[in-house]
Amino acid sequence: MPDVRWPEGWTPVDDAAEAERLQAELAREVPRRHLLDGERVTPFARAEGADDVLFAWPDGRVAQVHLTWAVETDPAFPATQIYADLEDWLRRGAGTSPAMTRGGER
């Protein structure tokens, strides 16, 4: 991950155990037909004191996911917003939660 000036409240996921826990939680939550169903993404940053996590694809795309900490059946959850890359997220998405832009939290 390149040097990033993270927005207030965001921090990188530097700990391998934390990354593994977040990866497992995403896999547990994502139902069939969700935007991330079957996708291979890696957590790399999270909002402190919130449930939003940034996941990256190998090609550089970024997904901001509002984890629900529950097994979901509705493909609208966990709420997810996809960005072209980290710069796109920093420009357009930082400071917003996909839960707020997709109709609420769970």
Side-chain angles (χ1 to χ4, degrees):
M1 183 62 45
D3 280 339
V4 175
R5 185 170 180 183
W6 293 105
E8 185 175 342
W10 283 86
T11 185
V13 175
D14 292 329
D15 179 66
E18 180 184 18
E20 193 172 300
R21 282 190 301 275
L22 292 169
Q23 184 79 41
E25 182 58 28
L26 180 69
R28 185 177 84 90
E29 290 186 23
V30 168
R32 291 174 51 93
R33 299 184 322 278
H34 184 274
L35 290 170
L36 297 178
D37 181 26
E39 297 291 324
R40 298 180 68 91
V41 293
T42 304
F44 70 96
R46 72 177 305 158
E48 298 170 344
D51 296 318
D52 286 359
V53 179
L54 293 180
F55 291 85
W57 277 270
D59 68 6
R61 288 177 295 150
V62 170
Q64 183 176 341
V65 179
H66 183 83
L67 295 175
T68 62
W69 305 100
V71 175
E72 297 295 345
T73 57
D74 181 342
F77 295 96
T80 301
Q81 182 67 44
I82 297 174
Y83 298 91
D85 54 29
L86 181 57
E87 289 300 319
D88 186 33
W89 177 81
L90 288 166
R91 191 174 51 258
R92 297 187 314 122
T96 62
S97 173
M100 298 301 109
T101 60
R102 295 216 39 213
E105 287 192 61
R106 277 219 178 169

